Amino acid sequence: MTQVLEDRSTRRAPQDAPQTIIQLQQVSKVYPNGSQALIDINLEVKRGDFLFITGPSGSGKSTLLKLLYGEERPSQGEIVVDRDAPDRLRGDRLSHLRRRIGIVFQDYKLLPRRTVTENISFVLWAQGYTRKEIARRLQPALKMVGLTHKSDCFPEELSGGEQQRVSIARAIVGTPPILLADEPTGNLDPDNSWQVIKILKKLNQIGITVIVTTHDESLIRLSNHPVVQIRDGRMSSVRY
Ligand code: ADP
């Protein structure tokens, strides 16, 4: 996986200076029903960073990630993700940006009638990868999350922690430079939560820029990574 991932994710500027990979400038989001989810957010993330976004439920964490992968559009402000503006992209160009962003959700979102292998390969297959290329990428992704021995299982045969690890493998099998994880440990016990965080740290060590939302303060204390907090839509830096 390391080699496959390093192909793209660790690309550096000529002088090896960390480049900005994500930038938000004065970003606000008001949903059509009038709900003000984000207010004047400024954030800069460098290539290779690992950032926690914390804050209580309803504070705007998911909305922020949705703006990054173009699921929602800002009401105001500028967003740049890997040199593109997600809110200005449509159709193929938005799909192209999304291929550079792996996404992990709290509820895994696995296909119940598909095996682990099928769940992970599906994305590549949908993107037109050849069978040979899919096979080349599958094993390293499974190994990265420690699930080689579960490749033929169906999701219901796995624990919650294992299902989340499958969803991480699915998110990274396309070697994205960015990984967004929205409350990835929200349904897991402390041991499984820590295992998930350790995998995300490992991915970060091979160059992937990782952003994780969580309201679990203990996970944040255990990790020595920058933390920003969102409260009522406003961001403040906790440890940066
Ligand atoms: P968090 O991820 O921190 O729990 P969210 O980003 O999901 O917070 O929500 C932030 C605020 O925006 C909340 O008040 C929520 O009710 C509101 N919100 C989220 N999604 C929508 C939506 N699709 N339509 C209207 N309001 C929304």
Side-chain angles (χ1 to χ4, degrees):
M1 191 83 226
T2 308
Q3 190 52 54
V4 176
L5 284 167
E6 280 178 354
D7 288 351
R8 278 204 319 203
S9 55
T10 60
R11 229 183 314 146
R12 293 263 184 226
Q15 291 80 25
D16 214 32
Q19 306 157 295
T20 299
I21 191 165
I22 290 171
Q23 185 151 33
L24 289 88
Q25 286 180 298
Q26 298 177 321
V27 169
S28 296
K29 171 69 183 176
V30 184
Y31 282 104
N33 68 355
S35 175
Q36 174 100 49
L38 294 171
I39 305 164
D40 199 19
I41 301 287
N42 292 290
L43 178 69
E44 184 179 0
V45 180
K46 302 275 190 201
R47 202 173 278 273
D49 279 356
F50 187 123
L51 176 69
F52 278 115
I53 300 177
T54 183
S57 180
S59 57
K61 304 181 297 297
S62 298
T63 300
L64 179 62
L65 296 192
K66 286 178 184 171
L67 294 179
L68 298 182
Y69 62 85
E71 173 84 16
E72 293 289 347
R73 288 165 198 275
S75 314
Q76 265 179 28
E78 298 292 324
I79 304 177
V80 177
V81 178
D82 203 19
R83 292 185 288 264
D84 274 321
D87 54 312
R88 301 206 192 122
L89 302 179
R90 302 272 189 286
D92 283 352
R93 291 185 64 206
L94 183 56
S95 306
H96 191 257
L97 173 62
R98 285 185 177 160
R99 285 182 206 171
R100 287 175 272 145
I101 306 173
I103 307 172
V104 174
F105 298 99
Q106 175 172 354
D107 59 358
Y108 328 130
K109 300 201 191 301
L110 300 177
L111 301 168
R113 290 176 203 284
R114 303 285 176 183
T115 64
V116 166
T117 294
E118 289 165 345
N119 264 284
I120 298 171
S121 339
F122 187 76
V123 206
L124 298 180
W125 176 79
Q127 289 174 20
Y129 280 78
T130 62
R131 196 182 293 205
K132 195 171 157 201
E133 183 61 17
I134 293 173
R136 185 176 86 85
R137 288 165 173 269
L138 186 67
Q139 287 310 320
L142 277 170
K143 194 168 166 215
M144 176 61 80
V145 299
L147 285 178
T148 307
H149 60 300
K150 300 276 183 178
S151 59
D152 293 328
C153 291
F154 289 90
E156 66 177 14
E157 298 172 309
L158 303 175
S159 71
E162 288 168 339
Q163 290 186 54
Q164 190 55 297
R165 280 148 58 197
V166 175
S167 97
I168 295 173
R170 179 186 56 191
I172 57 156
V173 74
T175 62
I178 299 169
L179 182 63
L180 306 178
D182 196 0
E183 293 277 359
T185 63
N187 290 342
L188 304 179
D189 61 29
D191 279 354
N192 278 300
S193 296
W194 184 236
Q195 217 172 356
V196 161
I197 295 297
K198 277 200 305 195
I199 292 170
L200 298 179
K201 281 169 168 286
K202 209 158 66 169
L203 291 165
N204 177 245
Q205 278 160 11
I206 60 170
I208 299 181
T209 305
V210 178
I211 301 183
V212 185
T213 70
T214 180
H215 58 260
D216 186 341
E217 296 290 336
S218 61
L219 275 185
I220 291 174
R221 276 196 300 274
L222 280 170
S223 317
N224 193 25
H225 292 297
V227 185
V228 293
Q229 185 172 59
I230 305 188
R231 267 187 191 276
D232 297 330
R234 292 185 191 276
M235 181 174 282
S236 59
S237 174
V238 178
R239 185 170 79 203
Y240 207 78

